[in-house]
Amino acid sequence: MKSTSWMLILLCSMSPFVYAQEADEGDAASAIRALEREWVVGQSRNDSRALDLIFDNALVYLEYGKLVTKGEYLSRIRTSEPLLDQIVMEPMTVRTFGNTAIVVGTYREKVIKDGKPFLKRWRFVDTWVCKKSKWLLVSAAAVPVSR
Amino acid sequence: MGILLSLFLLVWVAAPPAAQTPAPPDAEQTRILALENAWNQAEEHKDVKALDSLLDPTLVYIDYDGSLMDKAQFIASVKAPALHPEQIINESMTAHVYGDNAVVTGVYREKGLSNGKPYLRRGRFTDTWVYQRGIWVCVASQSTLISH
């Protein structure tokens, strides 16, 4: 969900408001939020091993209308060179249904194109499933917000 | 057609009260994929009752332009008088079942008239279904246009 560009993220910053949302949530939702942050950190560090631990092997990742498997995603993490782009996470909503959690939110991506910076806003939905007491990402998709 | 679709959903989707846990994954995959097709039919025919039974009250729907809708807003968008879908089909679908939840990814094609102008869209979607009180309901849906 985080970034659909493979040349991304050395720095990412989280809005303080995102952390403030956790105050009144249950354990599952808090765990999911922590995993979402872990994803961002893992990607910013090109840490494919860390991401391997939180992605389900059957992960389906929808990127620019194409399906990317876990293997393809991690391979690109390992081989891509990050650029000095920045992602700012905006508030996200976590809903749990037993062993399933749905996360919906938005983030802003600072992109450098033709030497000029501009901001792109994305809306995402991630699905996490608790398997053997461990939350794993099974589905992720993001789409640019045009209106 | 709308009544038939609603009856189909009542028979196919509603399990006996004792079935609080879903059937084996293969059977549930078939059922969920059938529900996906039923969803398309419901949209084509603007069958609000059928959509109501397929979609969880807490549904989150993210459209291909990034807009966010809840269940009521989505159903209202389907009912919009200016929109006349002629055909909505799923070219391909895959369902991953994880006990009482499932993720479906697929490619859809939709054509019709919007404000009197013909449109044709092809996109990839991801839907998350949850098994609750003996039936599968969709809790999240997102689609992205395929540019080629």
Side-chain angles (χ1 to χ4, degrees):
Chain A
M1 164 288 303
K2 292 309 163 279
S3 167
T4 58
S5 167
W6 298 112
M7 310 298 282
L8 275 186
I9 313 175
L10 270 186
L11 298 171
C12 60
S13 59
M14 305 286 285
S15 163
F17 182 66
V18 173
Y19 291 101
Q21 286 180 281
E22 297 185 31
D24 300 323
E25 288 185 328
D27 291 342
S30 295
I32 295 299
R33 290 182 185 278
L35 286 168
E36 291 279 345
R37 289 193 292 269
E38 202 172 315
W39 182 359
V40 173
V41 171
Q43 184 153 337
S44 70
R45 295 174 179 172
N46 279 24
D47 190 348
S48 62
R49 292 180 69 179
L51 297 178
D52 183 41
L53 293 175
I54 64 174
F55 290 173
D56 187 73
N57 290 334
L59 169 70
V60 287
Y61 185 88
L62 191 53
E63 175 190 67
Y64 291 112
K66 295 181 182 177
L67 274 181
V68 177
T69 65
K70 175 181 177 179
E72 290 167 340
Y73 190 108
L74 295 181
S75 176
R76 283 191 269 186
I77 288 288
R78 284 191 290 267
T79 59
S80 66
E81 291 291 329
L83 290 179
L84 279 173
D85 289 335
Q86 186 175 20
I87 283 188
V88 176
M89 293 299 295
E90 297 177 339
M92 67 180 82
T93 302
V94 180
R95 294 178 297 144
T96 55
F97 304 88
N99 68 339
T100 306
I102 307 291
V103 183
V104 178
T106 54
Y107 63 94
R108 296 193 311 275
E109 176 187 11
K110 181 182 173 184
V111 181
I112 308 294
K113 190 175 180 182
D114 298 327
K116 296 179 183 177
F118 69 96
L119 286 177
K120 197 171 186 179
R121 195 155 181 252
W122 297 81
R123 179 160 279 125
F124 68 88
V125 56
D126 297 337
T127 301
W128 299 81
V129 170
C130 189
K131 298 165 87 171
K132 296 179 182 177
S133 302
K134 186 178 176 185
W135 288 99
L136 295 171
L137 182 73
V138 298
S139 167
V143 61
V145 180
S146 59
R147 62 181 173 93
Chain B
M1 175 61 77
I3 294 174
L4 286 176
L5 181 59
S6 298
L7 284 174
F8 165 79
L9 288 172
L10 283 173
V11 170
W12 180 256
V13 172
Q20 292 303 309
T21 55
D26 288 349
E28 295 304 337
Q29 281 179 336
T30 302
R31 181 178 294 196
I32 291 166
L33 295 182
L35 292 175
E36 289 281 356
N37 290 328
W39 184 344
N40 290 343
Q41 289 291 308
E43 276 199 57
E44 269 188 45
H45 299 99
K46 295 180 183 278
D47 188 339
V48 174
K49 196 171 180 180
L51 286 174
D52 187 57
S53 68
L54 290 166
L55 309 176
D56 189 74
T58 65
L59 171 78
V60 172
Y61 187 90
I62 300 176
D63 214 344
Y64 62 86
D65 60 358
S67 59
L68 181 67
M69 288 185 273
D70 59 21
K71 179 178 178 177
Q73 291 167 329
F74 173 74
I75 291 179
S77 73
V78 171
K79 287 168 57 180
L83 181 65
H84 298 280
E86 295 174 2
Q87 185 186 56
I88 307 174
I89 61 170
N90 292 326
E91 295 181 351
S92 62
M93 283 190 290
T94 302
H96 297 267
V97 179
Y98 305 92
D100 59 0
N101 72 83
V103 174
V104 179
T105 56
V107 175
Y108 74 92
R109 189 174 71 245
E110 178 177 345
K111 66 176 183 179
L113 291 173
S114 178
N115 292 313
K117 295 180 181 178
Y119 68 88
L120 175 64
R121 283 192 288 262
R122 191 165 175 264
R124 200 177 293 275
F125 67 89
T126 302
D127 294 339
T128 300
W129 297 78
V130 172
Y131 192 79
Q132 290 183 328
R133 294 179 291 277
I135 61 172
W136 288 98
V137 287
C138 184
V139 295
S141 178
Q142 191 270 349
S143 66
T144 307
L145 290 182
I146 295 174
S147 56
H148 60 275

